[in-house]
Amino acid sequence: RRRPVTPHPCRRQLQLPPESCVYVGDDERDVVAGLAAGMGTVAATYGYLGSNADTLGGGTRVPRKGTVFVSTRREGVVYALVDADRDGRAETRHVIARGLEMPNGIAFKDGALWIVANDRIVRLDDIESRLADPPKPTLVTADLPTEDHHGWRYAAFGPDGRLYYAIGAPCNICDRDADGFASIVRTGPDGRGR
């Protein structure tokens, strides 16, 4: 019998509020545990999800309405899963963005969702009020390297209110940091001040 998932001890040890933590798991129970703890959650294609599952880039819980945003690298689609009754299971699923190149990184701030794809960053304003009819994405920046080897991006807002995202290396063994690869970028929510 496997032990229950408890993300609380690590969070307490680091003395961080739950909304500034992300819980990564490979099973539905991991996602439920992370959401119950008030953390953003990321489901990884590994282990219990099976070999036919698509890679889930990230998930951000919006405590007010119980929405989990899920990005899919292979499909190029971002979903909103709504758990209206807060029982840990989504009753509805909405496609809120499609046609993106590896939209792995997602971050939620001030009612808007930032989607960090391989080639650009877009924002969906007031997204929770418009899940059934999402707004057209606003381009934040298209100034990203487009190499797709390690091109998926992880994203989060820091305590300073700035957006942080990763730029992967275009190779396994190389020295490309002079080109801005293999780095974490910090920028304003509007894409300026990099």
Side-chain angles (χ1 to χ4, degrees), residues 110-187:
D110 299 331
L113 183 71
W114 277 255
I115 303 169
V116 184
N118 185 50
D119 59 341
R120 60 191 154 150
I121 300 174
V122 297
R123 185 184 70 242
L124 298 173
D125 294 318
D126 194 28
I127 187 58
E128 281 194 291
S129 301
R130 305 182 62 191
L131 296 176
D133 184 26
K136 181 180 178 187
T138 300
L139 181 66
V140 175
T141 186
D143 185 26
L144 301 177
T146 57
E147 286 82 353
D148 61 4
H149 186 72
H150 300 169
W152 52 93
R153 319 244 183 256
Y154 297 94
F157 279 96
D160 58 359
R162 297 175 64 85
L163 180 64
Y164 290 77
Y165 59 92
I167 303 289
C171 47
N172 285 334
I173 302 172
C174 61
D175 184 15
R176 295 288 302 268
D177 60 343
D179 299 328
F181 290 101
S183 62
I184 296 174
V185 176
R186 180 180 73 171
T187 185

Side-chain angles (χ1 to χ4, degrees), residues 56-95:
L56 301 178
T60 301
R61 178 173 190 248
V62 182
R64 215 176 53 234
K65 296 188 179 178
T67 305
V68 175
F69 296 100
V70 179
S71 59
T72 59
R73 248 184 13 212
R74 291 184 196 140
E75 289 181 37
V77 175
V78 178
Y79 297 96
L81 308 176
V82 180
D83 177 15
D85 61 8
R86 308 278 179 127
D87 67 352
R89 301 207 183 273
E91 292 82 31
T92 55
R93 177 178 83 168
H94 302 277
V95 173

